Amino acid sequence: ITFDQFDNMFVLDSGNNRIQRWAPSSTFGVTVASGAFSNPRGLSFDPFGNLVVADMSNHRVVSFPVTCR
């Protein structure tokens, strides 16, 4: 789990190979990335605001630009 500068919570769901974003005070998450992962194990934001994911079984690190309102 990690948070962006707007307090959105990003949850790495390894069992379903997806990342969900939860806005503050929300009751549901929105899937922002899925299907491309195989056993993802870590996520964080880089200094440029990109969401960086460690995709273990694919032996790679994936970076996603994130645009938040």
Side-chain angles (χ1 to χ4, degrees):
I1 295 174
T2 192
F3 293 86
D4 68 8
Q5 69 270 28
F6 302 105
D7 288 331
N8 291 305
M9 179 173 61
F10 289 78
V11 178
L12 179 71
D13 183 356
S14 293
N16 291 311
N17 294 317
R18 67 181 179 179
I19 298 169
Q20 289 198 311
R21 181 182 66 220
W22 292 71
S25 302
S26 67
T27 57
F28 63 91
V30 175
T31 301
V32 295
S34 69
F37 304 118
S38 180
N39 203 13
R41 288 294 168 197
L43 78 159
S44 80
F45 285 96
D46 70 11
F48 304 104
N50 299 311
L51 185 62
V52 180
V53 181
D55 190 9
M56 191 171 91
S57 292
N58 283 327
H59 308 286
R60 65 183 181 168
V61 175
V62 184
S63 178
F64 295 98
V66 176
T67 304
C68 298
R69 293 182 250 165

